[in-house]
């Protein structure tokens, strides 16, 4: 889809090459994207049919946004089934599922509620399954993870959709009401090794076995004690966003209550084959209709690895994930028996994909003989310009020579790969395989479509830096997350010597030829948080995110960090005026950058502070400022006591607590100084009176004047949809008429 000249230009380019005919489809965002995919496409001998199909349903924690919105817009069958469940849930449970398919007030916080999360996953899985069955795609088997097992049971006719939703709601209620507070921790490691480290008397239990690792579950104090010790030293650990000890003996009281609820719900034997969480083998149709099965399912471990083995033994050819992301596909691909003869397809994709995720799935289905476009919203659209596009003929060969560029599969168990003959590709192949459970099959392999997540990608970049000394920007990779692009970035950014790597990397988040906007990275050190904002800015202004090298930790101070950032800015823009900004810790760095640039005689036209401002008082170390100390202590307590968004994020990523402590140490000796430039603070959670008070407080810091603009959202959501739209509009208004802003009520001399 695109303008006729653009499409025909792609066609003419490819028509000059030797071609073969076969059935192949791409979902693309623009002609450039189309050309890239066509150039990277392989040349299969014949289109593969779907074959035997399995439906996969993800578990708790995977639904963090309105993941169903694209399917709701594009798939009428999905829309009908979802609306049916939404009406029933609102009537029987008092929960409105609209946030799953539309942008509404409340944002990410809505999904933090356990019942909302699980009802949303059930509605998504059931509605997607009904849509597929209406298209004639009947699964030979279905496998769900934990709460993900309820949607396939409803699809198999065990309960009506309304009764199944009511059971999901009751299951969530009793789990939170009758189980003690707890924690669940994902550990990358062999289950036998993890159990050996725990010891036979450990109160922490293995609750899930999957994807080359396990999930541990236990009471909060027991898990905290385990994490504070050395038992899991050397293993990758990630705390999950769950505050109950799921699938452990601590859930037995809740399981007994659930037993009675299921016993009172009308049920019939399953008519489609289900793989049991508790056994990892085929579930007996009659057992699934009884309460014993579902009570045990709540309190016993989930054997995902065994379930995957059962599906592979059944000869499943195509695995379809019916939910957000591709976490279940990642579990399947981790199995040693996964190979190129099988297909894994996420139906929704990621949040960043939007409609493209569903369109990509439709294209994959079409390639395999399932032509359902007429049954979607696209069927009634005005036909776009069409022309025949020949496929790429080269079987992994460089068209300019004979060098093979396709990556060969590498088996597990080999010793770590090294940089060979100047190429970093072997190292990247191994790291990619470790992260996703399968080696790259071509340069076009898409990291997120294959089950990758942001945290997995961040871990991959960390391992790359440790193994090869190469710092690839996560933000830059995420813009085009293919294996080929990763190789290109690694080769480009590999320094001749370790000292040659710059301490700050300027990541281009938006193209343009005008005056750049430079945004200093947040406390985590990645510019990825600014990508959604950069995408919404228009005009000809390029946007750069400034990322410090995390390996450069010696003698850190705000002044040193800011000076390194200034060097990166001057390398790109030797002369002013300069436009600077930052969110959170990045705003403090940007303030000091402005001071250093002005001290050099340069002009800073405006400093943009996103939900952040310089704390403390002029000339006084921040560590002596009561407000700064109170804020830091409150922040750490919120993490320890699991209060609000801060607590949730620290529980998901324990490393954040240390990171924020380190940033506080960096800030403590810093003495704020005034700068001769205007500043605009985009602040969440303030009314006009609060904005006036903050303006008066900050006025002595900015001799060019300061303005506080209230914006929606909270500290964590202001840079995400839907709040980033308003932020972008206000920022564009500010940049369109940058001029000194004078405070008439305050003498700033």
């Amino acid at each position: 889809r695109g303008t006729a000249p653009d499409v025909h230009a792609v066609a003419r380019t490819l028509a000059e090459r030797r071609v073969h005919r076969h059935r192949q489809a791409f979902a693309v965002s623009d002609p450039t994207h189309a050309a890239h995919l066509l150039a990277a496409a392989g040349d299969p001998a014949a289109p593969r049919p779907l074959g035997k199909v399995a439906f996969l349903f993800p578990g708790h924690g995977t639904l963090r946004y309105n993941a169903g919105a694209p399917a709701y817009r594009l798939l009428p069958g999905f829309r009908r089934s979802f609306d049916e469940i939404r009406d029933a849930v609102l009537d029987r449970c008092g929960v409105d599922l609209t946030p799953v398919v539309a942008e509404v007030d409340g944002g990410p916080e809505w999904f933090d509620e356990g019942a909302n999360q699980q009802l949303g996953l059930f509605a998504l899985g059931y509605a997607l399954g009904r849509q597929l069955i209406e298209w004639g795609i009947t699964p030979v088997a279905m496998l769900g993870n934990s709460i993900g097992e309820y949607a396939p049971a409803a699809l198999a006719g065990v309960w009506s959709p309304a009764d199944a939703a009511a059971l999901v709601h009751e299951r969530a209620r009793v789990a939170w009401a009758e189980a003690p507070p707890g924690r669940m921790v994902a550990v990358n490691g062999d289950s036998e090794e993890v159990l050996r480290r725990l010891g036979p008397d450990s109160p922490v239990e293995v609750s899930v076995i999957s994807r080359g690792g396990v999930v541990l579950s236990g009471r909060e104090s027991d898990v905290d004690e385990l994490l504070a010790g050395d038992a899991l030293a050397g293993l990758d650990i990630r705390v999950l966003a769950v505050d109950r000890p799921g699938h452990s003996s601590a859930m037995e009281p809740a399981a007994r209550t659930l037993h009675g609820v299921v016993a009172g719900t009308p049920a019939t034997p399953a008519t489609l084959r289900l793989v049991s969480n508790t056994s990892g083998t085929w579930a007996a149709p009659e057992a699934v209709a009884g309460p014993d099965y579902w009570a045990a399912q709540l309190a016993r471990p989930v054997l995902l690895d065994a379930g995957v083995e059962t599906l592979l033994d059944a000869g499943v050819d195509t695995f379809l994930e019916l939910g957000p992301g591709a976490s279940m596909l990642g579990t399947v691909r981790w199995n040693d028996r996964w190979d190129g003869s099988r297909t894994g397809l996420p139906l929704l994709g990621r949040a960043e994909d939007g409609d493209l995720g569903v369109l990509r799935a439709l294209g994959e289905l079409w390639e395999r003989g399932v032509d359902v476009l007429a049954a979607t919203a696209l069927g009634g659209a005005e036909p776009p310009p069409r022309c025949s596009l020949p496929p790429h003929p080269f079987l992994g060969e460089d068209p300019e020579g004979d060098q093979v560029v396709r990556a060969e599969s590498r088996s597990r168990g080999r010793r770590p790969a090294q940089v060979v003959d100047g190429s970093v590709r072997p190292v990247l192949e191994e790291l990619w395989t470790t992260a996703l459970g399968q080696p790259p099959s071509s340069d076009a392999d898409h990291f997120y479509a294959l089950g990758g997540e942001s945290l997995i990608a961040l871990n991959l970049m960390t391992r790359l830096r440790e193994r090869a000394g190469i710092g690839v920007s996560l933000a830059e990779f995420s813009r085009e997350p293919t294996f080929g692009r990763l190789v290109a970035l690694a080769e480009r950014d590999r320094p001749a010597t370790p000292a040659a790597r710059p301490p700050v990397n300027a990541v281009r988040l938006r193209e343009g030829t005008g005056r750049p906007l430079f945004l200093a990275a947040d406390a985590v050190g990645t510019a990825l948080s600014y990508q959604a904002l950069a995408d919404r800015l228009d005009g000809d202004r390029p946007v750069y995110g400034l990322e410090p090298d995390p390996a450069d930790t010696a003698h850190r101070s705000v002044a040193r960090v800011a000076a390194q950032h200034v060097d990166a800015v001057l390398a790109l823009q030797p002369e002013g005026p300069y436009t600077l900004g930052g969110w959170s810790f990045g705003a403090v760095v940007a303030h000091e950058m402005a001071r250093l640039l002005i001290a050099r005689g340069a002009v800073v036209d405006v400093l943009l502070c996103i939900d952040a401002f310089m704390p403390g008082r002029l000339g006084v170390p921040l560590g002596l400022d009561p407000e700064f100390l109170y804020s830091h202590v409150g922040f750490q307590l919120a993490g320890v006591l699991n209060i609000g968004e801060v607590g949730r994020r620290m529980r998901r990523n324990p490393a954040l607590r240390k990171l924020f402590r380190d940033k506080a140490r960096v800030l403590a000796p810093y003495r704020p100084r005034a700068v001769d430039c205007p500043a605009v603070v985009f602040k969440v959670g303030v009314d006009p009176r609060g904005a006036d008070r903050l303006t008066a407080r900050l006025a002595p810091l900015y001799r060019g004047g300061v303005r506080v603009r209230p914006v929606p959202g909270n500290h964590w959501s202001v840079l995400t949809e839907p709040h980033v739209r308003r932020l972008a509009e206000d920022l564009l208004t500010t940049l369109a008429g940058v001029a000194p802003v004078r405070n008439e009520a305050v003498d700033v001399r």
Side-chain angles (χ1 to χ4, degrees):
R1 180 183 289 267
T3 64
D6 286 333
V7 175
H8 283 286
V10 174
R12 284 195 303 272
T13 300
L14 295 174
E16 296 173 355
R17 304 172 180 174
R18 175 169 47 91
V19 301
H20 301 278
R21 293 183 179 275
H22 62 267
R23 184 183 181 99
Q24 199 162 8
F26 302 101
V28 303
S29 55
D30 53 54
T32 301
H33 187 201
H36 173 77
L37 290 176
L38 288 167
D43 188 20
R48 288 184 295 173
L50 281 177
K52 293 182 178 180
V53 176
F55 290 176
L56 307 176
F57 301 82
H60 186 98
T62 56
L63 181 60
R64 309 302 314 169
Y65 61 98
N66 58 328
Y72 195 81
R73 286 191 294 269
L74 296 171
L75 310 179
F78 171 90
R79 185 162 55 246
R80 287 193 302 272
S81 296
F82 187 90
D83 285 343
E84 175 189 349
I85 295 174
R86 176 166 53 180
D87 292 343
V89 168
L90 186 60
D91 179 56
R92 298 179 62 170
C93 309
V95 176
D96 184 3
L97 295 180
T98 299
V100 178
V101 295
E103 293 180 356
V104 297
D105 292 338
E109 292 81 5
W110 186 89
F111 300 97
D112 292 338
E113 176 64 38
N116 296 351
Q117 166 89 196
Q118 297 186 2
L119 283 168
L121 284 171
F122 169 78
L124 277 177
Y126 179 84
L128 287 170
R130 286 304 313 162
Q131 177 69 89
L132 291 171
I133 292 172
E134 286 181 15
W135 288 340
I137 303 174
T138 302
V140 299
M142 294 186 285
L143 171 64
N145 177 8
S146 186
I147 192 62
E149 199 169 359
Y150 278 71
L155 288 168
V158 175
W159 309 293
S160 71
D163 284 344
L167 286 176
V168 169
H169 184 260
E170 186 64 11
R171 181 183 187 273
R173 187 193 68 79
V174 300
W176 266 264
E178 301 185 19
R183 306 184 77 173
M184 300 182 73
V185 182
V187 181
N188 284 342
D190 178 77
S191 59
E192 294 182 1
E193 169 67 12
V194 174
L195 283 170
R196 184 190 66 77
R197 292 191 183 205
L198 290 178
D201 301 324
S202 174
V204 178
E205 305 171 37
V206 172
S207 59
V208 182
I209 300 177
S210 70
R211 202 175 183 265
V214 302
V215 175
L216 303 180
S217 184
R219 294 175 182 268
E220 192 167 26
S221 58
D222 293 332
V223 176
D224 286 345
E225 183 177 351
L226 174 67
L227 295 178
D230 297 327
L232 302 180
L235 299 176
D236 288 334
I237 300 171
R238 179 165 59 93
V239 179
L240 304 181
V242 184
D243 58 4
R244 288 297 183 272
H247 298 283
S248 71
S249 57
M251 301 300 292
E252 291 288 356
R256 288 192 290 270
T257 302
L258 180 64
H259 186 284
V261 177
V262 175
T265 302
T268 58
T271 58
L272 296 171
R273 289 204 296 179
L274 307 177
V275 178
S276 168
N277 274 191
T278 53
S279 70
T281 60
W282 299 111
E286 297 79 11
V288 178
D292 291 347
Y293 181 92
W294 298 101
Q297 195 257 12
L298 180 60
R300 294 182 186 173
V302 177
L303 306 181
L304 280 185
D305 270 5
V308 169
E309 289 285 348
T310 297
L311 295 177
L312 294 172
D313 288 341
V316 172
D317 303 291
T318 302
F319 296 82
L320 305 180
E321 179 141 0
L322 282 63
S327 59
M328 290 292 284
L329 289 174
T331 299
V332 175
R333 291 190 177 99
W334 189 261
N335 191 284
D336 288 329
R337 294 165 60 190
W338 177 270
D339 55 41
S341 67
R342 308 179 194 272
T343 298
L345 179 60
L347 294 185
L348 297 180
R350 304 174 301 144
E352 298 90 331
D353 294 333
D355 288 356
L356 195 62
V358 173
L359 294 174
R360 186 184 293 123
L362 293 175
E364 291 265 3
L365 292 174
W366 179 84
E367 284 186 35
R368 286 154 180 76
V370 184
D371 191 351
V372 296
L373 291 181
T376 70
L378 299 176
E382 180 182 350
R386 292 176 179 268
C387 69
S388 296
L389 296 180
H392 194 287
F394 301 106
L395 300 180
E397 298 175 354
D398 185 344
E400 301 300 328
D402 298 326
Q403 180 182 4
V404 175
V405 296
R406 175 163 298 200
E408 297 294 332
S409 297
R410 297 179 180 270
S411 61
R412 295 185 181 88
R414 294 187 178 183
R415 60 185 179 180
Q418 304 295 326
V419 176
V420 179
D421 296 331
S423 174
V424 76
R425 182 179 286 268
V427 174
L428 292 173
E429 288 174 355
E430 182 181 299
L431 295 176
W432 184 280
T433 302
T434 301
L436 297 177
Q438 65 170 348
S441 60
S442 78
D443 281 1
D445 277 12
H446 191 286
F447 186 83
Y448 295 114
L450 293 174
E453 302 170 356
S454 294
L455 285 176
I456 299 175
L458 184 60
N459 186 61
L460 189 156
M461 301 309 165
T462 301
R463 295 289 180 264
L464 176 61
R465 185 179 293 107
E466 293 172 351
R467 288 278 300 279
I470 301 172
V472 172
S473 163
L474 176 58
E476 194 165 8
F477 169 68
S478 294
R479 296 174 65 187
E480 186 185 333
T482 64
F483 181 73
R485 180 60 174 164
L486 179 59
V487 172
L489 291 173
E491 294 288 1
R492 184 199 70 185
D493 295 340
R494 185 176 60 181
T497 63
R501 186 169 62 245
V504 174
N505 182 35
V507 181
R508 197 172 185 117
L509 303 176
R510 181 181 178 81
E511 301 295 328
T513 59
R515 185 189 307 165
L517 166 60
F518 295 99
L519 298 172
D522 59 14
V524 179
T526 173
L528 186 61
S529 53
Y530 297 124
Q531 187 63 67
L533 176 63
D535 290 342
R536 290 202 164 273
L537 299 180
D538 56 15
D540 196 33
R541 184 187 290 266
V543 180
Y544 289 93
L546 303 175
E547 294 184 338
D549 181 0
D552 180 27
T553 58
H555 305 99
R556 280 294 178 115
S557 68
V558 172
R560 180 173 182 268
V561 171
Q564 293 172 341
H565 281 62
V566 166
D567 289 341
V569 168
L570 293 174
L572 289 166
Q573 185 187 349
E575 298 181 358
Y578 297 96
T579 306
L580 310 175
W583 168 67
S584 192
F585 177 76
V588 177
V589 174
H591 176 99
E592 181 65 12
M593 289 172 62
R595 192 189 70 79
L596 293 175
L597 284 167
I598 292 170
R600 290 170 174 245
V603 173
V604 175
D605 58 10
V606 66
L607 177 64
L608 307 168
C609 303
I610 303 172
D611 198 46
F613 51 86
M614 179 60 67
R617 293 168 291 166
L618 281 175
V620 178
L622 292 180
L624 300 179
D625 180 66
E627 184 176 356
F628 172 79
L629 294 174
Y630 175 80
S631 174
H632 173 62
V633 172
F635 199 81
Q636 292 295 328
L637 284 176
V640 172
L641 301 177
N642 188 29
I643 299 174
E645 183 70 7
V646 172
R648 185 178 72 82
R649 287 177 178 268
M650 285 191 178
R651 285 173 63 86
R652 291 185 65 190
N653 186 358
L656 288 179
R657 184 174 290 112
K658 180 179 184 302
L659 186 149
F660 289 133
R661 281 201 304 267
D662 291 343
K663 294 301 181 185
R665 294 191 186 101
V666 171
L667 287 170
Y670 178 66
R671 299 172 182 264
R673 304 185 201 179
V675 294
D676 290 317
C677 76
V680 179
V681 178
F682 302 92
K683 189 72 183 74
V684 305
V686 295
D687 56 21
R689 292 184 61 185
D692 290 341
R693 289 194 296 270
L694 183 56
T695 299
R697 174 190 162 181
L698 297 176
L701 286 169
Y702 301 103
R703 298 194 178 100
V706 62
R707 178 187 297 129
V708 176
R709 297 181 67 113
V711 292
N714 60 35
H715 183 70
W716 305 97
S717 65
V718 66
L719 286 169
T720 63
E721 296 288 358
H723 306 308
V724 71
R725 296 184 182 184
R726 167 69 182 280
L727 174 64
E729 292 172 359
D730 287 354
L731 194 146
L732 284 170
T733 300
T734 299
L735 294 178
V738 171
V741 181
R742 297 297 178 185
N743 297 296
E744 298 178 357
V746 181
D747 184 1
V748 298
R749 289 177 295 174

